[in-house]
Amino acid sequence: MIPLFSSYSFCRLNSKIFYNAFNSYFLASTSDYNHRIQCRTIHQDNSTTNDQNHDDQDLLNEIFQYNLLADLSPKNVVVIMPRMKRGALFRSHESGQALLDETVTLVKTIPYWKVAGAQMISTSAIHAEKIFGSTNLDHIRDYVRNQSADAVVFAIDVLRPIQHHFFRDFLNVQVYDRFSTVLKIFRERCSTKEAKLQLALAELDYIKKNLHHMQECDFSQFSMSKSFGGNFDTFYQIKKQVIQERESRLKRALSSITTAYEVKRKHRTTLEIPTVAVVGYTNSGKTSLIKALSHDNSLQPEDRLFATLDVTTHSITLPSKMKALLIDTIGFISEIPTTLVHCFRSTLREICTANLIVHVVDASHPNRHQQIETVHQTLKEIEVPEKLFQTMIEVSNKVDKLSDPIDIDGLAISATERIGLDELTRQIQKSLIENTERLAFEIRVANGGEQYQWLYREASAIVEMKPDPQDANFLIVKVVITKSKFGKFLKLFHDNLNDQY
């Protein structure tokens, strides 16, 4: 007889295996659970009272808003891509063009913004106050005026405060970088309380970086007397204390929500429901893939950056009939500071606690290799366990859009055309069984007996049932089951199993 093991193949359970397994596994009583898992938003706390909701809303709105981020007025936007032409930060023309194009797409994602123009301009001093020489500076100013632009977005992660201050005065328009542009997109998309609190923390981080160069006119809803009831020597001191107070309150509010989510995660772990985090660069097709695998028609994938900000779960039935949860996560993007990632650590924790990661790559994107590198780097930044990283399934999506053959990264699929999805579900099943150390075996049980009923209720999956050719009163059942459930099964039925073999 073949001994038990955790890969997806089956062996017969005999008395020798039973006694060895019984000595190896022991399980205290566990709760019953129902396999009917419905799609839901993970980060949604329904236990809060109306008063708590009002308090949190007051927290998000009170004290001040930074006008640069809160401004909802329509804008004609010019995008400028400073490209380092030498040195450690050298960027090729092709790489610079790809980043410029992506930044343009970011701008277009904001519904009340319109791209008036975009240019890539070489520089040798990207960290200098003015970034460019006098000739290029004059060219940028004339270009902004000729395009009737009232905002400029620089295609770099974060402008230094002195750079932001200089270009705002020099161009006499509002000035943004990729960080602040992404924050504005998040303002449009955040819907859950947790996402809004995390966004508020990220905005505070951005404000702190520019604090020395901000003036009172940069803020709205600023009430010194309401917040503190006294005077301060300088506006800078007021700003600093306001930010510190608000940051502390936001962190306390977020901590209380995070604690509630940890309880829910532990409950899900107790139920032993395997989870699969679907990650990838923004707009790589994660939601489309989840819709195709889960057959959840309520999902409406959108062809735009950061279409998904709130983490949701969706049930999937694997070939073995085992149930699992697919977790739709926020998309990653390059050229933003790690502080933004850290502010959304609570949401991204769903990735770290999953049993398996599926990384979706847009195979049709010309910059896919850099996008893969960004995703891998972000996973390391949020401290994904090494086992999860090593067992991650890489899939190249949108292969139906390829006009020429390319070297595919991982499994070739198309979520919209359902290409390669059967093989993907088999790989997900195999990896889940291995990562969760589930057991797969055959067992002979009485047709309709207690063992059969218990396995039908408690096992992860009943893969196949067929009559025992030696005795029609018995069935040969192929089972996938967790170690803890198997231990309980052995404890309950060891006498019956010993009699059978």
Side-chain angles (χ1 to χ4, degrees):
M1 293 294 178
I2 306 172
L4 284 171
F5 57 98
S6 59
S7 62
Y8 188 65
S9 60
F10 297 89
C11 61
R12 293 296 296 273
L13 183 67
N14 63 21
S15 57
K16 181 177 180 181
I17 292 173
F18 155 68
Y19 281 114
N20 290 336
F22 185 74
N23 290 329
S24 301
Y25 305 118
F26 175 79
L27 175 69
S29 59
T30 57
S31 302
D32 291 348
Y33 72 94
N34 193 319
H35 276 313
R36 291 174 296 174
I37 307 164
Q38 297 180 348
C39 163
R40 64 189 183 277
T41 300
I42 293 178
H43 293 168
Q44 183 174 6
D45 186 3
N46 296 322
S47 62
T48 55
T49 64
N50 290 332
D51 290 341
Q52 288 173 317
N53 288 330
H54 286 308
D55 290 343
D56 289 335
Q57 192 59 45
D58 290 342
L59 173 61
L60 290 169
N61 293 332
E62 72 173 7
I63 304 177
F64 64 80
Q65 289 191 35
Y66 182 30
N67 290 332
L68 184 74
L69 302 177
D71 183 12
L72 301 179
S73 62
K75 294 195 182 304
N76 285 326
V77 181
V78 162
V79 181
I80 301 296
M81 169 67 208
R83 183 180 73 86
M84 282 289 288
K85 54 188 178 183
R86 66 176 67 92
L89 298 178
F90 167 78
R91 187 183 291 274
S92 68
H93 185 276
E94 292 76 14
S95 175
Q97 187 62 48
L99 187 60
L100 176 61
D101 293 342
E102 183 180 81
T103 307
V104 168
T105 304
L106 280 173
V107 172
K108 291 180 178 178
T109 302
I110 301 173
Y112 43 88
W113 279 12
K114 178 183 177 181
V115 177
Q119 287 196 351
M120 180 165 54
I121 301 175
S122 297
T123 178
S124 58
I126 199 166
H127 293 308
E129 176 185 358
K130 301 178 182 180
I131 302 180
F132 305 103
S134 57
T135 302
N136 281 333
L137 285 173
D138 290 339
H139 167 74
I140 292 172
R141 182 170 55 187
D142 293 341
Y143 184 68
V144 169
R145 289 174 179 172
N146 292 337
Q147 300 300 319
S148 301
D150 42 22
V152 172
V153 173
F154 284 87
I156 57 178
D157 55 354
V158 182
L159 287 168
R160 294 173 59 209
I162 194 171
Q163 293 172 333
H164 186 280
H165 182 68
F166 166 76
F167 280 106
R168 184 179 66 176
D169 291 347
F170 179 73
L171 300 175
N172 196 30
V173 297
Q174 288 191 348
V175 175
Y176 298 83
D177 46 33
R178 282 172 65 92
F179 188 8
S180 54
T181 304
V182 169
L183 289 177
K184 288 186 74 69
I185 295 172
F186 283 12
R187 271 185 173 246
E188 290 290 315
R189 305 285 172 78
C190 284
S191 60
T192 65
K193 185 193 305 180
E194 184 188 28
K196 291 177 180 178
L197 289 171
Q198 291 175 120
L199 172 62
L201 280 172
E203 288 181 345
L204 280 183
D205 182 77
Y206 186 80
I207 291 170
K208 285 192 294 184
K209 294 179 185 299
N210 294 277
L211 198 56
H212 278 283
H213 295 283
M214 290 182 179
Q215 304 171 1
E216 188 166 358
C217 60
D218 289 325
F219 299 95
S220 60
Q221 297 182 359
F222 190 97
S223 174
M224 178 180 67
S225 60
K226 175 183 175 183
S227 303
F228 302 104
N231 294 318
F232 291 85
D233 295 333
T234 65
F235 182 66
Y236 173 76
Q237 291 175 321
I238 299 173
K239 291 184 293 185
K240 187 175 180 180
Q241 188 162 345
V242 168
I243 287 173
Q244 289 174 343
E245 179 189 287
R246 190 167 190 247
E247 187 174 41
S248 296
R249 294 184 63 195
L250 286 168
K251 287 181 177 179
R252 287 196 299 269
L254 185 59
S255 177
S256 64
I257 296 175
T258 303
T259 300
Y261 296 153
E262 286 297 330
V263 173
K264 294 180 181 179
R265 289 190 191 103
K266 289 180 180 178
H267 179 64
R268 196 167 64 206
T269 301
T270 301
L271 298 181
E272 298 182 304
I273 304 169
T275 55
V276 181
V278 182
V279 306
Y281 206 83
T282 181
N283 204 33
S284 60
K286 300 181 299 298
T287 302
S288 295
L289 177 59
I290 290 175
K291 180 176 182 178
L293 294 177
S294 65
H295 304 285
D296 187 346
N297 293 325
S298 67
L299 284 172
Q300 297 298 326
E302 300 177 74
D303 186 15
R304 60 178 182 174
L305 303 183
F306 296 113
T308 300
L309 284 185
D310 297 314
V311 179
T312 58
T313 59
H314 308 267
S315 179
I316 179 177
T317 302
L318 298 169
S320 67
K321 302 181 179 63
M322 182 173 73
K323 299 284 187 178
L325 286 178
L326 299 176
I327 303 176
D328 197 1
T329 63
I330 183 174
F332 301 152
I333 194 168
S334 65
E335 299 296 327
I336 58 171
T338 57
T339 50
L340 181 59
V341 176
H342 292 160
C343 289
F344 280 79
R345 183 178 293 274
S346 176
T347 296
L348 296 173
R349 179 164 171 74
E350 292 294 339
I351 300 173
C352 299
T353 58
N355 301 116
L356 178 67
I357 295 176
V358 173
H359 174 200
V360 182
V361 179
D362 182 355
S364 66
H365 199 285
N367 210 30
R368 65 186 182 280
H369 294 302
Q370 287 77 11
Q371 292 184 352
I372 293 172
E373 184 179 343
T374 296
V375 171
H376 288 181
Q377 182 60 39
T378 305
L379 292 176
K380 292 177 181 178
E381 288 175 6
I382 64 175
E383 298 177 351
V384 166
E386 185 64 22
K387 179 180 178 181
L388 270 181
F389 194 82
Q390 294 299 326
T391 59
M392 180 167 60
I393 298 176
E394 304 265 2
V395 297
S396 289
N397 190 26
K398 305 184 184 180
V399 294
D400 56 303
K401 294 185 176 182
L402 295 175
S403 55
D404 299 314
I406 63 169
D407 293 330
I408 294 295
D409 301 285
L411 180 65
I413 68 165
S414 169
T416 56
E417 300 299 322
R418 303 195 62 83
I419 298 171
L421 297 191
D422 290 342
E423 177 59 29
L424 175 58
T425 55
R426 285 191 289 268
Q427 287 194 22
I428 290 174
Q429 174 178 270
K430 181 178 183 294
S431 296
L432 274 180
I433 290 175
E434 292 175 351
N435 284 9
T436 61
E437 297 184 329
R438 276 169 162 77
L439 306 172
F441 59 85
E442 284 186 348
I443 183 172
R444 179 175 179 267
V445 297
N447 191 355
E450 290 184 5
Q451 298 168 42
Y452 168 80
Q453 294 180 29
W454 191 95
L455 288 171
Y456 188 83
R457 185 176 64 252
E458 301 288 348
S460 300
I462 301 293
V463 180
E464 183 182 357
M465 293 183 294
K466 58 185 179 182
D468 184 350
Q470 306 297 326
D471 189 340
N473 293 317
F474 287 84
L475 296 172
I476 305 299
V477 182
K478 289 183 178 181
V479 178
V480 176
I481 193 170
T482 64
K483 284 186 176 181
S484 59
K485 293 289 185 182
F486 178 66
K488 187 172 184 179
F489 178 76
L490 294 176
K491 184 178 179 180
L492 289 173
F493 301 110
H494 65 282
D495 291 336
N496 306 52
L497 292 170
N498 192 39
D499 292 341
Q500 288 181 32
Y501 292 97

